[in-house]
């Protein structure tokens, strides 16, 4: 029997290029050669790569179809907690592609690169103003690398003071990258349990903070979507014992223009430009995790740094206490351009409004799903809310089943089973870019799924059922990935 191209409407099947190719097909035609033919020693050529022969249309359709299997924020809502998958306005893409910026060569002398250096300088200034901090490095190319950079600076700071400190406090509501970054610097993570309310208890910090402890890494708002209300008290405790405070600012989308991070007592904070400041991300694409620090830590920042002088913008390459470079050249510049363009196109008032709307949307989803899913901590949330599957478990339906069922309804699943402090966590971050109508549709779908759980659990346990690929054995998929289709 001959199969048409699809088995499910216009969800097209796609063979491998090797299965599609036919010897002799090609994607170009050349005019007849007008120079004498020469023979080449076959042995020298060897066998060559095993590439299929394909026509131009074969190749175009293949890759276009594969691109249609992708899901991204431009396709639909992507309520991934802890990752701010918001819409990134296209104007910022356009700016990043501006020929003069996109082709600026990093090895050009500063006198020929004044435009891009100005952009770096002003972005440093804007990020300093947004966080309230004194100095900025744009070099780190991810949030995790920003954390590592700051940990290296903390280590250099204590080396300079001749203090030996090797432990660091990490709350159970921290992002997984925090302990990893600390470990790379040789620090031992000391787990710090969050209190009953899902936030840190200053007394617990006081008990663990001693003269051998570097300090603490705090994510605020934390990964439960809750604001650490005692942050100033906690940072005072750490400073009293001579320690330093690291702020994980990946959740800046909730507090732009609202919280002054320096006044919270934070010594260094990273921002995720690809989350908060408009760069499409996911799948390991380029990111940027600038760090913003207090004047006291500024001498330890990576070099080179862009500075303003009477003769224009210059590169400061020498600094006695600097930890050195953490990136070739200046960081992921195209991400920096998008952030610069985003900040300028929004302006201070709209950056603040974006955070207010992000929090409003988080609170709205939380309020409307209160009767649907169990809430982990019933407190005012910030930009994201964390539910659990406690109400569905009696029907033998789990968080994973419901997340998979959301795919059938056209949604990327939320973050699940994280943070670890909540059993069966479902973490939803709607972001400010979703309108109320779209939030309402998402909420209705969640309610439908919860309803299904009570009566048609089997259906959920088999979800997703209308996708190209059904439920995978996730352990096998991670351990033994099949990369050829
Ligand atoms: C995303 C995230 C990070 C890590 O950032 P990457 O750019 O993915 O390395 C760190 N902390 C928190 C709270 C995050 O959400």
């Amino acid at each position: 029997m001959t199969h048409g191209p699809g088995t499910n409407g216009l969800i097209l099947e796609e063979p491998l290029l090797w299965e599609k190719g036919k010897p002799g097909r090609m994607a170009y035609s050349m005019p007849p050669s007008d120079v004498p033919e020469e023979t080449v020693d076959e042995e020298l050529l060897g066998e060559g790569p095993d590439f299929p022969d394909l026509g131009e249309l074969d190749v175009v359709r293949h890759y276009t179809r594969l691109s249609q299997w992708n899901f991204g924020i431009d396709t639909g809502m992507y309520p991934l907690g802890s990752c701010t998958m918001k819409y990134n306005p296209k104007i910022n893409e356009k700016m990043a592609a501006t020929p003069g910026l996109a082709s600026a060569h990093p090895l050009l002398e500063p006198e020929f690169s004044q435009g891009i250096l100005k952009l770096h300088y002003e972005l440093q200034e804007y990020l300093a103003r947004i966080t309230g901090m004194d100095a900025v490095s744009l070099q780190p190319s991810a949030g995790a690398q920003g954390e590592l950079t700051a940990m290296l600076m903390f280590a250099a700071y204590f080396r300079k003071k001749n203090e030996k400190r090797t432990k660091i406090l990490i709350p159970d509501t921290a992002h997984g990258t925090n302990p990893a970054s600390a470990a790379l610097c040789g620090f031992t993570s000391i787990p710090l349990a969050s209190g009953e309310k899902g936030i840190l208890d200053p007394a617990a910090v006081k008990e663990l903070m001693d003269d051998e402890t570097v300090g603490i890494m705090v994510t605020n708002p934390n990964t439960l979507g809750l604001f650490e209300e005692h942050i100033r008290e906690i940072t005072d405790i750490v400073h009293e014992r001579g320690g330093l405070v690291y702020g994980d600012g990946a959740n800046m989308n909730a507090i732009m223009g609202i919280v002054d991070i320096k006044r919270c007592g934070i010594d260094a904070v990273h921002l995720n430009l690809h989350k908060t400041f408009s760069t499409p991300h996911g799948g390991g694409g380029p990111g940027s995790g600038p760090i913003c620090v207090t004047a006291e830590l500024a001498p330890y920042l990576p070099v080179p740094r862009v500075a303003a002088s009477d003769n224009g913008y210059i590169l400061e390459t020498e600094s006695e206490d600097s930890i050195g470079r953490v990136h070739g050249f200046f960081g992921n510049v195209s991400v920096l351009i998008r952030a610069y363009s985003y900040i300028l196109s929004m302006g201070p008032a709209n950056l603040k409004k974006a955070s207010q709307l992000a929090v409003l949307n988080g609170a709205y989803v939380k309020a409307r799903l209160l009767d649907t899913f169990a809430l982990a901590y019933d407190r005012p949330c910030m930009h994201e809310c964390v539910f659990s599957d406690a109400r569905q478990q009696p029907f033998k339906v789990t968080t994973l089943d419901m997340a998979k069922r959301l795919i059938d309804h056209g949604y990327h699943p939320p973050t699940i089973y994280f943070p670890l402090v909540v059993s069966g966590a479902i973490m939803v971050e709607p972001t400010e870019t979703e309108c109320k109508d779209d939030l309402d549709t998402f909420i209705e779908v969640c309610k439908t799924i919860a309803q299904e759980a009570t009566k048609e659990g089997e259906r959920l346990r088999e979800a997703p059922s209308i996708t190209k690929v059904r439920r995978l054995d996730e352990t096998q998929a991670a351990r033994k990935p099949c990369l050829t289709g």
Side-chain angles (χ1 to χ4, degrees):
M1 193 180 126
T2 312
H3 283 286
T7 50
N8 201 339
L10 266 176
I11 304 178
L12 303 180
E13 296 295 330
E14 191 56 32
L16 297 179
L17 284 180
W18 278 266
E19 291 160 12
K20 228 174 172 165
K22 285 264 162 60
R25 281 195 186 168
M26 51 173 97
Y28 63 88
S29 53
M30 302 276 278
S33 172
D34 58 358
V35 293
E37 213 167 278
E38 287 290 335
T39 49
V40 184
D41 185 347
E42 293 283 330
E43 284 217 352
L44 276 181
L45 279 180
E47 284 208 348
D50 168 30
F51 286 151
D53 292 358
L54 296 152
E56 179 174 327
L57 186 55
D58 296 329
V59 175
V60 168
R61 282 197 179 144
H62 179 73
Y63 287 107
T64 305
R65 284 178 185 174
L66 289 189
S67 78
Q68 289 167 341
W69 293 0
N70 270 340
F71 187 89
I73 193 67
D74 292 353
T75 324
M77 188 173 161
Y78 206 134
L80 201 66
S82 187
C83 209
T84 313
M85 300 298 278
K86 65 186 191 180
Y87 174 68
N88 303 294
K90 295 291 170 262
I91 180 73
N92 307 316
E93 293 300 314
K94 199 168 172 184
M95 291 299 125
T98 306
L101 296 175
S103 55
H105 197 285
L107 288 177
L108 266 186
E109 291 298 321
E111 57 179 307
F112 301 118
S113 310
Q114 286 295 297
I116 193 95
L117 292 182
K118 175 174 191 233
L119 187 149
H120 278 69
Y121 182 79
E122 291 186 352
L123 182 59
Q124 287 172 185
E125 296 284 293
Y126 296 151
L127 298 182
R129 219 175 312 154
I130 289 169
T131 53
M133 304 300 270
D134 303 314
V136 176
S137 168
L138 302 174
Q139 271 188 36
S141 45
Q145 202 193 2
E147 295 166 19
L148 175 61
T149 305
M151 287 305 111
L152 290 168
M153 289 170 63
F154 283 14
Y157 168 90
F158 287 117
R159 219 169 8 236
K160 177 106 178 171
K161 293 181 80 175
N162 255 332
E163 284 184 38
K164 193 161 164 48
R165 293 182 186 240
T166 51
K167 297 183 290 179
I168 188 149
L169 308 183
I170 307 210
D172 54 12
T173 48
H175 197 263
T177 47
N178 288 194
S181 303
L184 278 175
C185 279
F187 299 153
T188 309
S189 299
I190 307 293
L192 178 62
S194 47
E196 264 168 43
K197 285 164 41 181
I199 58 172
L200 292 174
D201 175 7
V205 178
K206 193 163 197 160
E207 203 167 296
L208 290 173
M209 184 64 210
D210 60 24
D211 300 344
E212 285 166 15
T213 301
V214 170
I216 187 170
M217 296 180 91
V218 192
T219 307
N220 199 16
N222 67 25
T223 57
L224 289 167
L226 304 176
F227 191 78
E228 291 292 349
E229 289 168 15
H230 308 297
I231 185 68
R232 186 62 215 224
E233 222 180 313
I234 290 165
T235 57
D236 283 346
I237 293 169
V238 173
H239 289 147
E240 271 160 29
R241 303 301 299 260
L244 292 171
V245 180
Y246 184 73
D248 179 326
N251 292 336
M252 194 70 193
N253 210 48
I255 54 173
M256 279 184 295
I258 299 163
V259 175
D260 181 323
I261 293 185
K262 190 168 146 194
R263 277 181 57 201
C264 293
I266 307 281
D267 298 288
V269 64
H270 85 260
L271 300 176
N272 287 58
L273 297 189
H274 47 290
K275 290 179 183 170
T276 314
F277 298 94
S278 194
T279 282
H281 60 287
S288 178
I291 47 169
C292 312
V293 303
T294 57
E296 195 180 9
L297 287 176
Y300 303 93
L301 279 171
V303 284
R305 287 183 61 215
V306 180
S309 80
D310 292 343
N311 298 325
Y313 298 97
I314 52 165
L315 286 178
E316 284 178 347
T317 48
E318 299 295 322
S319 172
E320 191 192 334
D321 294 323
S322 166
I323 58 162
R325 277 184 176 280
V326 295
H327 194 289
F329 306 116
F330 309 110
N332 276 332
V333 175
S334 75
V335 184
L336 304 180
I337 302 169
R338 288 181 181 92
Y340 180 79
S341 166
Y342 178 74
I343 291 169
L344 282 182
S345 60
M346 294 285 277
N350 282 324
L351 286 177
K352 180 173 180 181
K353 193 166 173 194
S355 281
Q356 289 169 330
L357 289 176
V359 172
L360 180 64
N361 282 357
Y364 181 70
V365 169
K366 186 197 98 169
R368 290 227 31 220
L369 287 177
L370 265 184
D371 59 358
T372 308
F373 300 127
L375 194 64
Y377 293 87
D378 192 3
R379 307 195 54 228
C381 71
M382 301 290 287
H383 58 305
E384 58 197 358
C385 46
V386 183
F387 298 102
S388 81
D389 57 6
R391 286 201 199 142
Q392 284 73 36
Q393 274 186 4
F395 304 103
K396 304 219 167 1
V397 167
T398 64
T399 288
L400 183 70
D401 300 331
M402 294 190 282
K404 295 291 185 195
R405 188 70 175 139
L406 272 169
I407 300 175
D408 279 338
H409 286 275
Y411 289 101
H412 191 287
T415 296
I416 54 173
Y417 300 105
F418 180 83
L420 302 177
V421 278
V422 176
S423 163
I426 307 171
M427 187 185 203
V428 178
E429 179 179 359
T431 83
E432 76 279 12
T433 57
E434 297 301 322
C435 67
K436 180 169 174 297
D437 287 347
D438 291 345
L439 290 182
D440 284 338
T441 311
F442 172 73
I443 289 163
E444 289 313 320
V445 166
C446 289
K447 287 182 185 291
T448 307
I449 292 174
Q451 193 62 31
E452 268 180 350
T454 62
K455 297 194 223 110
E456 301 169 87
E458 200 49 41
R459 194 150 172 203
L460 288 173
R461 285 188 286 277
E462 283 172 6
S465 55
I466 57 167
T467 46
K468 291 191 76 61
V469 178
R470 303 290 155 77
R471 194 163 314 189
L472 298 171
D473 177 334
E474 304 204 343
T475 314
Q476 281 282 97
R479 296 275 159 83
K480 292 189 182 153
C482 168
L483 302 176
T484 53

